[in-house]
Amino acid sequence: MVDLKSIISSNEKIIWEGKPNFTCFILESVFNPLLPFALIWAIVDFGVMGLGFSSDFNMIEELGAVILGFFALHLMPVWIYLGGIILSVRRYKNTSYIITDVGVYISGGTFSYSYQM
């Protein structure tokens, strides 16, 4: 990981440096456009699973593993949504800002570290 300060030339004066607000950064990934879709998808899937495994239908003895495997795969939009929230913590660790009298430096990335000026 490259230190953002090593990119700044010696004749630049740092005015401000820091990271984004952690709560705001994470909540931005929680409240994204996929949230309503993932919630509705999860409610329907878990409702159908609950109905299928209730004592009225008693499907757990016959097809329990198959149904659990199907719904684990069928819940993929929910897993993608939750994965995005988890990865935002990693993205936060790589994000920092430095404002100088010459320009603005931004670093970030989830799996790779990059910077912009």
Side-chain angles (χ1 to χ4, degrees):
M1 184 163 105
V2 178
D3 184 27
L4 206 52
K5 285 186 177 181
S6 65
I7 301 168
I8 299 172
S9 66
S10 59
N11 59 353
E12 290 184 62
K13 178 184 172 191
I14 295 177
I15 298 170
W16 182 83
E17 68 177 298
K19 296 179 79 55
N21 183 302
F22 180 75
T23 306
C24 183
F25 196 85
I26 301 302
L27 287 178
E28 182 182 4
S29 67
V30 170
F31 295 108
N32 68 33
L34 188 59
L35 175 64
F37 179 71
L39 279 177
I40 292 169
W41 197 279
I43 289 169
V44 169
D45 273 10
F46 285 119
V48 170
M49 271 195 316
L51 181 65
F53 290 122
S54 69
S55 60
D56 297 338
F57 291 103
N58 203 12
M59 291 172 54
I60 191 121
E61 294 175 3
E62 300 171 11
L63 299 172
V66 173
I67 292 172
L68 280 176
F70 169 76
F71 278 110
L73 187 61
H74 196 262
L75 281 166
M76 193 59 65
V78 177
W79 306 138
I80 291 171
Y81 172 75
L82 293 174
I85 294 172
I86 293 168
L87 286 178
S88 68
V89 174
R90 183 176 173 102
R91 199 170 64 241
Y92 174 80
K93 290 168 68 175
N94 290 339
T95 303
S96 63
Y97 308 109
I98 294 179
I99 299 174
T100 67
D101 55 349
V102 176
V104 177
Y105 297 85
I106 303 169
S107 69
T110 303
F111 294 110
S112 64
Y113 186 79
S114 62
Y115 65 91
Q116 297 176 4
M117 179 188 173

